[in-house]
Amino acid sequence: VAFDSFKDKGTPAILHVSEEARRIEDMMRLYAMNGGAAPMAMPGSEPTLTVNVASPLITKLEAKCESDPALAEKIAKQIYTLCLLSQRRLESDELIALLDDSFGILELL
């Protein structure tokens, strides 16, 4: 996890995956090098979640951590999953969890 101030305040976070790791993952998937299972993580290929400290959403999330930590955790998980979705397709269980979490947050309104 890294923290930075982006020019675009509307983006709460981004997930950076190295180009090399992404290409190797694509090749493994294409050639089914691991028996068709989910691609194995390559050493040193961990993605980096960069949180935009200039985002109003992150500012509100930080304040919510003190008053309602359970809700803050749900929202943080939602932000991370949306960043993950911007990088790759979600597995079926990840998609179901995203939808459940989304509806749970909306029910709080």
Side-chain angles (χ1 to χ4, degrees), residues 19-64:
E19 184 66 18
E20 179 183 15
R22 188 194 62 76
R23 287 178 183 233
I24 289 172
E25 185 177 314
D26 288 347
M27 266 188 359
M28 290 177 68
R29 191 176 304 121
L30 179 66
Y31 296 114
M33 293 173 70
N34 59 350
M40 299 178 294
M42 300 303 292
S45 67
E46 290 296 315
T48 301
L49 179 68
T50 304
V51 178
N52 181 8
V53 295
S55 168
L57 176 60
I58 297 301
T59 304
K60 289 178 185 177
L61 180 61
E62 185 180 14
K64 195 55 85 171

Side-chain angles (χ1 to χ4, degrees), residues 6-101:
F6 303 167
K7 286 183 181 180
D8 178 11
K9 293 182 181 191
T11 303
I14 58 171
L15 190 65
H16 174 73
V17 178
S18 74
E19 184 66 18
E20 179 183 15
R22 188 194 62 76
R23 287 178 183 233
I24 289 172
E25 185 177 314
D26 288 347
M27 266 188 359
M28 290 177 68
R29 191 176 304 121
L30 179 66
Y31 296 114
M33 293 173 70
N34 59 350
M40 299 178 294
M42 300 303 292
S45 67
E46 290 296 315
T48 301
L49 179 68
T50 304
V51 178
N52 181 8
V53 295
S55 168
L57 176 60
I58 297 301
T59 304
K60 289 178 185 177
L61 180 61
E62 185 180 14
K64 195 55 85 171
C65 283
E66 295 176 17
S67 64
D68 191 352
L71 177 60
E73 185 176 341
K74 285 181 184 181
I75 293 171
K77 182 180 175 190
Q78 186 80 356
I79 291 169
Y80 173 75
T81 306
L82 290 172
C83 289
L84 192 61
L85 181 61
S86 73
Q87 294 295 322
R88 66 170 175 84
R89 288 178 135 173
L90 297 179
E91 301 292 328
S92 65
D93 58 331
E94 292 173 321
L95 183 58
I96 290 168
L98 172 67
L99 293 172
D100 287 345
D101 291 343

